[in-house]
Amino acid sequence: MDKYQAFEKLKEHSKNLTSISYEEIYDLLKNGIKFIPLPIAKLWTNAFIDRVRPNNGTALFRHIDDLGYIKDKNVIDNVLTSFGRANNPHQVMFYGALETTLIDKPRLTAIAETSHIFRVPGTDCTDGEHYTVSRWETQKELLVVEVVFSEYALKNNPDIAQSFENQTKLLQGHNLEPQEIAFHLEFLKFISEEFSKKVTNPEEYKISAAYTNIALLHPDVSGITYPSVQTDYFGVNIVLTPEVVSTYVKPKICSTQILYKKGMKSLIANGKYYCKEIDINNDIEWKEHQSEILTTKEQVLEHLKE
């Protein structure tokens, strides 16, 4: 089987991923197509990444370890049991959000990706759902694979469109045969749409998870970026390995946020607590915001009014 046949088989499998094993998908990518295209880009030093954890009611997280990638073996074994867009069952990854031209506050993307309110149509929460946002900063330049070939994202996000143009020019600069360029572009469009699709069953993440894991075999690749489905591709997500985070990414600050939603209207407001400097060796020192920067119940209801 050559790579063209393997790709056709992969496209066919994508129509019914619940009946195809992850191992078969991984083998088609790694050993069938073999040299899969990896559009690599630079994530600059001192780049900010926002990460979100839902709170249990209003209870505060105690330590930054509770806000970073999962370390609790019990959670890994018994809770992390499904495929994610860039991870296998029981595989720990660090998911976060980056700033874009359209969403300059990456915490909005991170909350939208985390909240079940946005995932389940018709779900309202006028009392507010509590989240904790932590901001992390890269300590060196990192190389990531960009997933930027989805037509949906290209229409909605100018940053994705610019990255697409840059990656296309890089591809065309490799002096490949026209057939090879066409294959690369078709493959990358297919992979990008796997990352961009809305799913109801985690089994449908098998292709994007396999692509991520193969991309991370590259010795220089630290992670992968892809458009945020929950923000209609206005935002961008990033996934890094725990090893990269523990070595090259440092937590800086954190704060509580509250999400309110009614019908088609939503509001993300400051929570009561913040920490302006995180010490990884000690518990989080929470401080209370001044009342003037907090949103009152009356203001929330006025904003959500139909």
Side-chain angles (χ1 to χ4, degrees):
M1 183 189 304
D2 64 23
K3 67 180 180 182
Y4 302 103
Q5 294 169 320
F7 184 30
E8 289 303 315
K9 192 170 184 179
L10 183 66
K11 288 191 287 186
E12 192 62 32
H13 285 338
S14 71
K15 299 173 185 176
N16 188 20
L17 286 169
T18 57
S19 64
I20 305 297
S21 72
Y22 171 83
E23 289 72 22
E24 186 169 353
I25 296 298
Y26 186 92
D27 183 65
L28 272 175
L29 284 167
K30 190 171 187 295
N31 301 315
I33 298 174
K34 293 183 180 177
F35 301 107
I36 62 173
L38 298 177
I40 293 178
K42 294 178 180 179
L43 181 66
W44 59 94
T45 305
N46 303 128
F48 288 133
I49 302 169
D50 281 4
R51 178 173 165 80
V52 162
R53 285 289 312 277
N55 288 69
N56 183 9
T58 59
L60 296 171
F61 288 105
R62 193 169 67 105
H63 193 274
I64 188 58
D65 281 350
D66 299 324
L67 301 177
Y69 60 83
I70 300 170
K71 297 180 180 179
D72 187 325
K73 188 176 186 303
N74 181 59
V75 173
I76 295 170
D77 291 344
N78 299 302
V79 179
L80 195 64
T81 57
S82 300
F83 286 97
R85 209 171 288 268
N87 68 275
N88 295 337
H90 312 295
Q91 181 183 23
V92 177
M93 291 289 194
F94 179 92
Y95 284 83
L98 299 172
E99 178 183 339
T100 68
T101 300
L102 297 176
I103 299 182
D104 62 352
K105 295 179 176 59
R107 66 176 181 271
L108 304 181
T109 299
I111 290 174
E113 286 286 340
T114 306
S115 173
H116 81 283
I117 291 178
F118 287 115
R119 294 178 179 274
V120 181
T123 304
D124 290 343
C125 186
T126 55
D127 290 331
E129 218 175 39
H130 291 253
Y131 295 87
T132 298
V133 180
S134 51
R135 171 156 289 183
W136 304 67
E137 185 180 45
T138 58
Q139 303 300 293
K140 64 166 284 187
E141 184 179 87
L142 302 174
L143 296 183
V144 295
V145 172
E146 285 190 311
V147 176
V148 292
F149 289 78
S150 164
E151 61 179 280
Y152 314 112
L154 287 171
K155 291 177 182 176
N156 284 13
N157 191 324
D159 296 345
I160 296 295
Q162 183 61 57
S163 293
F164 169 80
E165 289 184 18
N166 295 339
Q167 293 293 350
T168 302
K169 288 177 182 177
L170 287 173
L171 175 62
Q172 293 169 339
H174 287 307
N175 296 318
L176 299 173
E177 294 293 326
Q179 182 184 17
E180 282 294 296
I181 292 178
F183 172 79
H184 278 64
L185 289 173
E186 184 183 0
F187 176 84
L188 290 170
K189 181 175 183 292
F190 169 79
I191 289 296
S192 295
E193 289 174 354
E194 286 297 306
F195 273 90
S196 296
K197 67 184 182 183
K198 296 183 178 181
V199 309
T200 56
N201 186 334
E203 296 286 306
E204 296 179 66
Y205 288 137
K206 287 175 182 173
I207 292 176
S208 58
Y211 180 82
T212 299
N213 277 286
I214 293 172
L216 290 172
L217 294 175
H218 190 295
D220 297 327
V221 170
S222 296
I224 194 161
T225 64
Y226 59 93
S228 162
V229 174
Q230 298 302 323
T231 62
D232 285 332
Y233 318 108
F234 292 168
V236 168
N237 295 312
I238 183 168
V239 175
L240 299 171
T241 66
E243 295 76 19
V244 167
V245 173
S246 62
T247 307
Y248 302 118
V249 184
K250 181 180 179 181
K252 302 296 288 184
I253 57 175
C254 59
S255 64
T256 56
Q257 302 278 301
I258 306 174
L259 169 63
Y260 303 93
K261 184 173 179 294
K262 183 179 181 182
M264 298 300 293
K265 291 192 173 183
S266 60
L267 173 68
I268 296 175
N270 288 322
K272 191 175 181 180
Y273 300 95
Y274 73 98
C275 174
K276 63 180 180 180
E277 186 175 354
I278 293 172
D279 179 353
I280 62 173
N281 297 312
N282 292 295
D283 289 347
I284 298 170
E285 292 188 11
W286 292 107
K287 299 182 183 298
E288 291 191 23
H289 280 301
Q290 297 294 319
S291 59
E292 55 263 27
I293 74 165
L294 300 177
T295 306
T296 66
K297 185 65 174 180
E298 290 74 19
Q299 289 171 321
V300 171
L301 294 176
E302 180 64 26
H303 182 89
L304 298 179
K305 189 182 296 182
E306 296 292 341

